Amino acid sequence: NIIDEIMPSVEEAKKTETDENAVSTLAEDLNIQHTIQKLRTSTILSQLESEGKLKIIGAKYDIKDGTVEFLK
């Protein structure tokens, strides 16, 4: 389930942050990074990316103001 997918990022964030908002923000970023890593384990996606036909990037959507932040 989705909680099981997110919890490793939350636990990792808790190792370096104590403030609840900081944990949440870091966990979001870590979860995006982990998701990108999982997508790159796909043979098809990694091949397309290495050929320059596909670019896998992470982004966060802010539901409050509709902005999208692309991560590096």
Side-chain angles (χ1 to χ4, degrees), residues 13 17-28 60 64:
E17 301 293 343
T18 55
D19 176 72
E20 188 174 307
N21 288 332
V23 169
S24 177
T25 299
L26 181 56
E28 289 172 6
K60 288 197 299 188
K64 293 178 190 172

Side-chain angles (χ1 to χ4, degrees), residues 5 15 19-20 27 29 37 45 49 52 61 70-72:
E5 293 290 325
K15 291 178 184 176
D19 176 72
E20 188 174 307
D29 292 346
Q37 290 171 354
L45 294 180
E49 188 173 36
Y61 175 72
F70 291 95
L71 307 178
K72 296 181 180 186

Side-chain angles (χ1 to χ4, degrees), residues 12-62:
E12 190 174 338
K14 286 181 177 180
K15 291 178 184 176
T16 58
E17 301 293 343
T18 55
D19 176 72
E20 188 174 307
N21 288 332
V23 169
S24 177
T25 299
L26 181 56
E28 289 172 6
D29 292 346
L30 291 170
N31 188 57
I32 292 167
Q33 291 172 5
H34 293 154
T35 302
I36 289 169
Q37 290 171 354
K38 283 178 84 172
L39 289 170
R40 286 188 172 135
T41 63
S42 162
T43 305
I44 294 169
L45 294 180
S46 62
Q47 180 180 350
L48 290 171
E49 188 173 36
S50 68
E51 293 171 356
K53 296 178 179 177
L54 174 75
K55 187 168 185 175
I56 300 173
I57 58 171
K60 288 197 299 188
Y61 175 72
D62 189 326

